[in-house]
Amino acid sequence: MQSSTRIRVAAVAALLGLVAVFAGPGSAQAESAEPDATTVGDLTGFLADGPVYHLEAGAAEARVSFVSAETFRIELAPDGTFADPTGDDIVLPQGAPPHTRWKERSDRYELSTGSITLRAYKSPLRFELRRADGSLVWSEAKGLSWDGKRTTQTLARGADEQFYGAGMQNGRGNTSHRGQTVEVGVDYNWDDGGHPNSVPFYLSSAGYGVFRNTYAPNTYAFTDPVTTSAQEQRFDAYYFAGDAKDVIGQYTKLTGKPFLPPVYGMEIGDADCYLHNANRGERRTLDALKVADGYVEHDMPNGWMLVNDGYGCGYEDLADTSKGLQDRGMQLGLWTEDGIDKIADQVKAGQRVAKLDVAWVGSGYKFALDGCKDAYKGIEDNSDARGFTYAPESWSGAQRCGVQWSGDQYGTWDYIRWQIPTYAGATMSGLAYTTGDVDGIFGGSAKTYTRDLQWKMFLGTTMTMDGWAASDKQPYRYGEPYTTINRDYLKLKESLLPYQYSYAHEATKTGVGMVRPLVLEYPDDPKAATDAAKYEFMSGEDFLVAPVYQDSTRRDGIYLPKGTWIDYWSGRTYEGPTTVDHYSAPLDTLPLFVKAGAGVPMWPGIRSYQDRTSDSSLAWDIYPQGRSSFTLYEDDGVTRRHRDGKYTTQRADVDAPVRGAGDITVNIGESKGDFTGKQSRRPYEFSVHTGSAPRAVKLNGTLPRLGSAAAYRTAKQGWWYDQDDRGGVVKIKTAPLSTERKFSLKLEGTSAVGGRKASATAVVSAPDAQEVGAGVEGTVAVDVTAGSADVTDAAVTLDVPEGWRVTPAKTVDRIPAGTTRRVELAVTPAKDAVAGEARITAVARYRTAGEARTTVQRFAAGVMPQPPTADTWASDLVWLKSTNGYGPAERDRSNGESGATDGHTLTLAGKTYEKGIGSHADSDIEVYLGGRCTTFTADAGIDDEINGYGEVAFSVEADGKVLWTSPKVTGASATVPVEVDVAGARHVHLKVTDTNGSKTGDHGDWAAARFSCS
């Protein structure tokens, strides 16, 4: 079956007549024999003109222009006539050029600033860049060359040189491009391997970056040698010298720093078509307010709503819709399918977000960039708001006017997988805000939606889109446990907005976005540039995020670089560099680690940033280790007054032991600056992850110690040590304090994160694949491993879902250092417990190294349905797992589109079936038999509706063993009879696997699928 994404994109491109123009300037309409490439010859003339140098080589001329002490431009005109198709579209005015000097030597000219020297060799003309100390940065392996289609630079590749950038490269980017060829240009491939939002820029670990100043498509082959080409008859490139962050900063100084989004733009957004929606029936634009009410009623953040996101959708009652959304704490957005001619009136009616149609690529990349700038300007010219746009296909310079998103995709596990490196990698090209729709816009499921939403809360921006799937995809649509989990992560992002917004401000100064590949923070770590770190990223300097991208409750291969890392949920500490396998990740647990030394500003307990009042507290989540600091940035969050200096900064400094016992001092500086709405006074809350109770906490005297969680909740000021919270957390409240004065908080007699003796902390884990039956008493095992000291008086309890019963286990008197003791507890799930995954939290309270400690660990147990007691159709059983190659697998129907019941009658070789399973390769249906069944029978084949297409294989697996596999089956094959002995099997998987790589027409039917049971 062809993907709906593909159909949509192809249709749009054909409708708009855009396919041919996407090749960009200089592209040929038909392939023809190209002349051999010409390489620039010997230098025949040299002219110095201030910071600009002219170098002639026969008819060709090169021009070198210095922009700053580390930035310069090389142009080459093969015929001696310079052109600049981009004009002032991309490159911004840069101010006065630096002082330069030049020197002639026997074989070369040397063009220098105080930081770098560009060598221009004479015979033939060839460039080489060196630092002021003479060390090599890059060197051309041969001179610039050109043919009838492109101009090319050829560089020698360093032995360990790594390459990054080229904009948004789907499925790539946060690991090195070394040895790869990447394309820079629009291809409308929004899946893994596509390159929407390309940027003609790359950077190298050798200490430089290159921006090709062009609208033409580029190709970068990071082979040996490196060849970088653009499809045009000119060469124009800017070069930047420095480390990766310096290079990104120089590049974005040249082409524009990332914009600062409004705070609501950093909350999740929602998109759908409400007027004349073909997928939802007749609706009106004002019906968007009912969806907005859903967010409010479910206590879920939502910052903005696009109300016309669908071809031909349109809108009505715009001002009333906008007012209604604002009353609910949201802003109005519109999709620009019909252009932006009406944006002035739309903004005056309340529009604050502009999502640019794919059509905005138009007749080349200039139109895409102009669309971004004009929509952004349209919002600012007609309101006091900040420009805020989304674009699926853009170009260099778009970082200053919008968010780039990766296009229209299908909600699958694989979608989650390849998106992880996409956005972190885009940061290496100065794209500070990149994202994808939560769970795509087609298909998806409750579980993939929840897993995708979790990690996207650690991106700066994101949105969810509804109207292209079979049913709406708001985060409250899926029922429990999904609604609660989604709410928790949405509110976690809301609480982290002070941290994320501070990084947004930093991006406007440095060009470096919050979402970062590990190599950007750990450039000297040999694994950071490899696949070891491909499916994880940094969110700022303090959070390491390793999303779950498979249908699993375990995550393997989490690489933690040098330093101390703290599991956000359990408080367990890890010493890097290390790789964490078998990380326990129930559905509600995103693998998330915090770097020791972090001080994270937070807004506790809010649904919307608008819930903040003049009396609201500011919270600091602190993981003390050595000396560290964080500077909080604040402004009004909405207007452009920050550009006139209306903002504040407030620095938090932490001084703690590097390891073990000692005092901790937290210094909170005065809030410097001013803006409308600045708090003159505010209370503060602190969560200090010490692992050891302090002797006292002092703030202008000794703060009172509170005796319980309840006392802490009601107190206006004081502290409480919560031994059971993530390894031990000191929780502190202050009375309102003036923001104009600095203050110091001192924790006496405590420790760095991890406790006075971190190595003595016990580790709690649980064996894999534990199962319990609904309403039936079972056993759950927990392992307690002592650290470097004996564990005594270990009491293990379980936090289980409501309605479950747990029989307490006996206290373990002693667990010798370094050994493990298994504790088994009797557990009875509720009779109505839903089959599938249930989260259990094991809590171990014990003594070690002279202290009372608590260790917690989340894990998943499988709740099994009642096994069958009589012959049963496979389609009538509970499916513990149901993955499918396209849309959902169907019960008693053939595979359909994206809906749960949109398939047709099962038909094989002209025979119809009332019962069975309709799937699309690759698919996997898991059922629980509990050892009660003996035989599985079915008729297998590709449904007649495919008319002879498709190629698959069927298999039956039980408890990890393959019991039966079919021969290759095509759409023209005869029906395959299936009879498999499943005696004693507990878990059976029915799989349909693609065998030719096309996944076209792979509609595999398990017709009349039946288990014989007793």
Side-chain angles (χ1 to χ4, degrees), residues 416-424 455 534-537 547 549:
I416 298 174
R417 176 194 62 79
W418 65 254
Q419 284 210 330
I420 300 165
T422 301
Y423 308 130
W455 71 274
K534 184 172 185 177
Y535 297 114
E536 58 194 67
F537 63 93
Y549 54 90

Side-chain angles (χ1 to χ4, degrees), residues 147-348:
D147 58 22
K149 189 174 183 180
R150 62 179 61 82
T151 57
T152 301
Q153 184 175 44
T154 304
L155 299 176
R157 190 179 73 178
D160 299 312
E161 190 175 3
Q162 309 297 330
F163 302 90
Y164 308 90
M168 185 183 285
Q169 297 283 328
N170 283 353
R172 297 168 289 172
N174 72 344
T175 53
S176 176
H177 292 317
R178 182 183 173 91
Q180 307 296 316
T181 297
V182 297
E183 299 293 336
V184 178
V186 175
D187 65 350
Y188 270 148
N189 178 0
W190 292 339
D191 296 322
D192 191 4
H195 39 89
N197 297 297
S198 290
V199 175
F201 165 85
Y202 72 91
L203 58 82
S204 162
S205 64
Y208 73 92
V210 184
F211 161 60
R212 293 290 279 265
N213 182 35
T214 180
Y215 283 130
N218 286 225
T219 300
Y220 303 151
F222 297 110
T223 49
D224 191 8
V226 174
T227 60
T228 60
S229 64
Q231 294 180 24
E232 59 182 354
Q233 296 303 296
R234 56 188 288 275
F235 180 88
D236 189 351
Y238 285 84
Y239 298 81
F240 317 95
D243 65 23
K245 288 184 179 179
D246 288 338
V247 167
I248 294 170
Q250 292 174 57
Y251 162 71
T252 53
K253 182 177 184 296
L254 186 77
T255 62
K257 297 295 186 195
F259 77 112
L260 181 63
V263 175
Y264 55 78
M266 298 184 72
E267 298 175 319
I268 196 170
D270 187 285
D272 201 353
C273 168
Y274 289 93
L275 186 63
H276 313 308
N277 188 320
N279 297 327
R280 298 291 184 270
E282 187 64 26
R283 298 194 299 189
R284 319 305 300 188
T285 303
L286 283 168
D287 288 333
L289 302 182
K290 299 174 185 176
V291 173
D293 285 336
Y295 281 97
V296 176
E297 291 163 5
H298 288 87
D299 191 24
M300 286 184 170
N302 186 63
W304 47 278
M305 292 185 66
L306 295 173
V307 298
N308 67 331
D309 203 347
Y311 288 106
C313 182
Y315 59 79
E316 61 187 9
D317 300 319
L318 203 60
D320 289 342
T321 303
S322 174
K323 177 64 166 56
L325 290 175
Q326 290 173 359
D327 290 343
R328 293 158 174 82
M330 306 171 200
Q331 295 293 339
L332 172 70
L334 292 174
W335 184 37
T336 62
E337 178 202 357
D338 296 326
I340 56 174
D341 292 344
K342 301 175 184 177
I343 196 165
D345 291 337
Q346 292 167 340
V347 171
K348 290 172 184 176

Side-chain angles (χ1 to χ4, degrees), residues 25-77:
S27 63
Q29 292 299 313
E31 291 295 327
S32 60
E34 298 288 353
D36 293 337
T38 299
T39 300
V40 68
D42 294 347
L43 189 65
T44 58
F46 175 83
L47 175 63
D49 183 13
V52 180
Y53 299 87
H54 299 264
L55 302 98
E56 296 178 357
E61 182 177 343
R63 184 164 62 189
V64 177
S65 310
F66 284 89
V67 178
S68 74
E70 296 86 18
T71 301
F72 61 93
R73 179 186 191 184
I74 298 178
E75 300 168 88
L76 176 75

